[in-house]
Amino acid sequence: MFAADLPAWTRRSSDLSKHSAEVFAEAEEHPVTVTRRDGESLVLMSQREAEGRSQLLNFAAQLITVTLDDNGPFAERMSRVFPWMLALSPADREACAQDLVNAARASFSTGQPHLAIAELTSWKETATAIAAGLGSAEAEWLDDGETVKRP
């Protein structure tokens, strides 16, 4: 996530007019810095990349809010910021809180926002399913030897 940690993919502004398809294809894969003689460099990236970074920064702000609050155990403080966690059992709240912090650390250290966002989404969907009563249903497992045909 930090600029110093990201590989440098740089193109000149003239490449946008001469090789626009190539530059746009690169920008779909990773952010591309476009250098200009007459102004500050610009960064070209996909909407998905920009939204991922924005979501990760928002998540980081929420985690900072939790860490600045020293009133109660960590999982309880997390539940105040993420109220959907209250649908989880106390043990699952503890696991969720730790998993979210670990995923955030991984995202920031690798520059991959999807790691934290996927973990956050997974836990939130689990809490939503439990709140809807889906957690109490007995799961029916297929036998190991049974092959299911493709629909």
Side-chain angles (χ1 to χ4, degrees), residues 11-18 33-38:
R11 293 296 207 126
R12 293 185 311 264
S13 61
S14 61
D15 290 339
L16 280 175
S17 59
K18 295 177 185 174
T33 300
V34 179
T35 59
R36 304 181 315 161
R37 287 184 297 182
D38 60 344

Side-chain angles (χ1 to χ4, degrees), residues 80-98:
R80 286 194 291 270
V81 174
F82 303 105
W84 50 262
M85 286 178 64
L86 296 171
L88 302 171
S89 70
D92 283 346
R93 275 185 235 142
E94 292 284 338
C96 174
Q98 190 59 57

Side-chain angles (χ1 to χ4, degrees), residues 61-136:
Q62 291 170 313
L63 287 178
I64 290 169
T65 299
V66 170
T67 60
L68 293 175
D69 178 5
D70 60 356
N71 187 14
F74 184 63
E76 180 183 315
R77 297 187 330 249
M78 287 283 284
S79 295
R80 286 194 291 270
V81 174
F82 303 105
W84 50 262
M85 286 178 64
L86 296 171
L88 302 171
S89 70
D92 283 346
R93 275 185 235 142
E94 292 284 338
C96 174
Q98 190 59 57
D99 287 352
L100 292 178
V101 169
N102 291 345
R105 291 176 67 201
S107 282
F108 277 108
S109 67
T110 62
Q112 301 296 316
H114 70 276
L115 299 173
I117 302 309
E119 192 71 29
L120 179 65
T121 302
S122 177
W123 273 108
K124 186 175 181 181
E125 292 297 324
T126 298
T128 301
I130 290 169
L134 299 176
S136 61

Side-chain angles (χ1 to χ4, degrees), residues 141-149:
W141 297 96
L142 297 174
D143 293 333
D144 288 339
E146 187 176 342
T147 302
V148 178
K149 291 184 181 181

Side-chain angles (χ1 to χ4, degrees), residues 5-25:
D5 297 335
L6 295 175
W9 287 289
T10 306
R11 293 296 207 126
R12 293 185 311 264
S13 61
S14 61
D15 290 339
L16 280 175
S17 59
K18 295 177 185 174
H19 310 288
S20 60
E22 188 178 308
V23 175
F24 290 143

Side-chain angles (χ1 to χ4, degrees), residues 41-60:
S41 295
L42 303 173
V43 177
L44 182 64
M45 68 179 72
S46 69
Q47 182 72 31
R48 173 187 40 81
E49 178 80 23
E51 287 174 0
R53 289 175 180 219
S54 177
Q55 288 175 326
L56 184 59
L57 287 174
N58 184 43
F59 182 50

